Amino acid sequence: MTPEINLKTPEIRANPYPTYARLRKESPVVLVKHPLFGKSYYLTRYNDIVSSFTDSRLANDRRNIEGDKDPLDRWWVPSLLRAFKNNMLATDAPDHRRLRDLVHKAFTPRRVEEMKQAVEKIVGELLDAAQKKQTVDLLADFALPLPLTVISEMMGVPEEDRLTFHRQMGGFLDNLSSPVGFLLQTPNAFNMLRFFRKLIRLRQTDPRDDLLTALVLAEEQGDRLSEDELVSMIFLLLLAGHETTVNLIGNGTLALLQHPEQLQKLRENPELIGSAVEELLRYGNPVDQPSPRFAREDIHLEGHVIPRGSTVMLLLASANRDESVFENPDTLDITRKPNRHVAFGMGVHYCLGAPLARLEGTIALQHLVRRFPQMKLAVPEQQLRWRGSIGLRGLKALPLRLS
Ligand code: HEM
């Protein structure tokens, strides 16, 4: 096996794909030191990753490995951080199904389709405001406020609180790259917890027709949702609801600007928006790696043994560039068909918000491309910087001139 490697150097963060290509060729299983989970086995090939999504020998909840301790149960991890981990992503059957069933109806394609007009209105207003500026940061001015507003409206988060929780979550995500960074996030985690408890109290006294109220009621009814699970659910939905889609729009816009002939094709053939969004998901990888899995037993894979209890990471961004599945994987082709990307994962944990992310990404990119045929980068490309969030791939800012 390749000696342990560091995937978080600034060079790899700026462009991980040449490294991933080398690993797919030489090291289908590679050891990487994960900031939270320590020595972890990263899988780099599409076929191994796809079969791992449905491999019952892998658990999402470390507590389901007999005799094992969750790393968050270590003595030095502040107990309040544990309140964030009882969510559906970090659970297995039967808890996973119980938690997912509580919210899945709000995210079905039919329910999401009903939100189309509301999303178009938000997009229109954000672009009107952006048009008045000479230079915009596409992320702060457009790609972020869109999903942040949509998920906040669905959940019922008051307008004045939205940027605050985004900053708290962003700080949390971007600073988990070391155990020390993790501990330094304790005050931030404490503030988030206080904020979630405030939201819960608000909907207990002022129930509305929103997801928060439905979840608060489920918790009050007793056996369907515990208090820690309620907090964790709010955390997951608010986080996954905006910190991912911002990267679809941000990375997607950058990829189109880097490939002017594809941008031109999309302008001339707006009906290609559906396959363009799928290709931008594949090419841009808003989620670079999903949540960790844990080996319930020794697993033999590609000539290696992954010992029982190990952490296993599925490198989605590598799978989506695998040459054995995608022809010319490093080429952006907005007409690519078939496009069996794994940007939303697979199996029982398949992204709950995929229909919503697709709707938001489609409307956002459609309107942006149509309204601003002259848009271009406002800084040299080399000056763009990538965030350090674990598992997510997104820019810190995307300065553009729109006209
Ligand atoms: C482009 C945007 C998005 C991408 C690329 C994305 C990607 C993913 C991926 C890869 C997973 C699987 C994680 C795993 O197996 O460990 C996932 C799960 C999940 N996503 Fe998304 N996501 C996006 C948007 C959203 C949105 C808008 C929501 C809305 C709340 C959302 C909510 C969730 C939830 C709740 C799960 C956990 C599902 C489960 O464990 O059953 N996601 N997402």
Side-chain angles (χ1 to χ4, degrees):
M1 192 178 301
T2 310
E4 196 170 301
I5 72 160
N6 175 9
L7 291 178
K8 286 289 169 202
T9 63
E11 297 73 39
I12 296 183
R13 202 172 275 159
N15 181 11
Y17 300 110
T19 306
Y20 291 170
R22 180 174 60 76
L23 292 175
R24 278 194 305 278
K25 204 162 154 223
E26 298 168 4
S27 313
V29 183
V30 64
L31 273 178
V32 178
K33 191 157 184 222
H34 190 282
L36 294 182
F37 297 97
K39 193 172 82 172
S40 306
Y41 292 77
Y42 275 58
L43 310 192
T44 63
R45 290 185 182 160
Y46 183 95
N47 287 335
D48 292 333
I49 289 172
V50 163
S51 42
S52 297
F53 271 121
T54 51
D55 189 335
S56 58
R57 294 172 302 171
L58 291 170
N60 276 42
D61 186 347
R62 192 160 190 159
R63 289 167 295 188
N64 285 336
I65 296 171
E66 212 186 317
D68 237 4
K69 272 200 132 191
D70 191 294
L72 286 182
D73 287 333
R74 287 178 193 146
W75 64 268
W76 49 265
V77 177
S79 60
L80 80 98
L81 290 181
R82 290 176 209 145
F84 295 109
K85 70 169 185 177
N86 287 310
N87 62 60
M88 70 185 99
L89 253 181
T91 47
D92 299 307
D95 288 332
H96 170 259
R97 177 53 47 202
R98 172 175 55 84
L99 293 171
R100 190 162 166 133
D101 278 353
L102 284 168
V103 286
H104 100 270
K105 278 205 189 99
F107 292 93
T108 58
R110 182 135 45 102
R111 281 296 287 278
V112 166
E113 187 58 27
E114 289 165 11
M115 295 162 62
K116 194 170 165 203
Q117 277 190 346
V119 173
E120 277 173 343
K121 184 162 176 283
I122 302 169
V123 165
E125 287 168 1
L126 289 169
L127 290 182
D128 287 347
Q131 192 165 18
K132 296 189 183 120
K133 299 187 183 178
Q134 268 214 323
T135 309
V136 295
D137 170 5
L138 193 83
L139 303 190
D141 292 324
F142 182 57
L144 172 73
L146 170 63
L148 187 62
T149 308
V150 172
I151 194 67
S152 299
E153 296 279 333
M154 286 179 85
M155 294 289 284
V157 178
E159 207 171 329
E160 63 273 17
D161 291 325
R162 295 176 189 171
L163 268 183
T164 316
F165 88 71
H166 160 68
R167 286 203 191 100
Q168 288 167 350
M169 284 184 176
F172 196 65
L173 277 181
D174 288 350
N175 289 291
L176 297 183
S177 47
S178 69
V180 174
F182 186 62
L183 287 181
L184 290 177
Q185 282 306 302
T186 306
N188 215 355
F190 189 73
N191 288 335
M192 269 191 280
L193 193 60
R194 227 175 25 191
F195 169 60
F196 297 148
R197 295 210 192 288
K198 187 184 100 177
L199 285 179
I200 293 167
R201 274 197 310 277
L202 182 71
R203 286 297 169 260
Q204 280 166 339
T205 49
D206 180 17
R208 300 265 173 99
D209 182 18
D210 58 33
L211 259 176
L212 260 173
T213 307
L215 290 168
V216 165
L217 283 176
E219 196 262 325
E220 282 170 355
Q221 282 160 7
D223 56 355
R224 288 198 297 157
L225 189 67
S226 72
E227 202 193 332
D228 270 356
E229 286 171 343
L230 172 60
V231 168
S232 222
M233 176 80 91
I234 298 172
F235 174 69
L236 175 66
L237 293 179
L238 288 180
L239 180 91
H242 81 284
E243 280 286 6
T244 48
T245 311
V246 58
N247 297 340
L248 167 59
I249 302 169
N251 301 358
T253 304
L254 176 63
L256 288 171
L257 290 170
Q258 288 168 326
H259 298 84
E261 76 301 338
Q262 295 292 308
L263 180 53
Q264 186 60 22
K265 196 185 266 186
L266 182 57
R267 257 191 213 114
E268 287 166 5
N269 306 278
E271 72 284 1
L272 290 178
I273 188 69
S275 60
V277 167
E278 296 310 310
E279 177 68 346
L280 294 170
L281 281 161
R282 182 193 74 82
Y283 189 88
N285 291 299
V287 175
D288 181 80
Q289 46 188 277
S291 49
R293 269 60 177 172
F294 306 100
R296 291 180 198 258
E297 54 187 81
D298 287 356
I299 296 176
H300 296 258
L301 189 75
E302 304 271 13
H304 302 286
V305 182
I306 300 176
R308 178 188 163 283
S310 311
T311 305
V312 179
M313 303 296 296
L314 315 176
L315 213 39
L316 297 186
S318 174
N320 280 338
R321 298 285 186 107
D322 192 325
E323 38 292 284
S324 71
V325 178
F326 302 99
E327 217 178 300
N328 301 323
D330 294 322
T331 302
L332 183 79
D333 173 5
I334 61 163
T335 62
R336 188 182 288 276
K337 275 207 176 90
N339 190 343
R340 292 180 290 131
H341 69 74
V342 284
F344 290 122
M346 245 183 195
V348 291
H349 292 279
Y350 179 78
C351 178
L352 175 81
L356 179 59
R358 285 188 164 114
L359 181 83
E360 292 178 284
T362 302
I363 296 175
L365 291 165
Q366 218 169 24
H367 285 244
L368 186 68
V369 166
R370 192 191 306 150
R371 270 183 74 163
F372 302 109
Q374 306 298 330
M375 74 172 168
K376 55 172 126 7
L377 276 179
V379 296
E381 204 184 313
Q382 311 81 273
Q383 280 180 23
L384 297 175
R385 293 286 170 270
W386 295 86
R387 289 174 64 181
S389 330
I390 306 181
L392 302 179
R393 177 159 177 77
L395 289 160
K396 289 185 175 173
L398 184 55
L400 293 189
R401 257 185 223 109
L402 292 179
S403 47

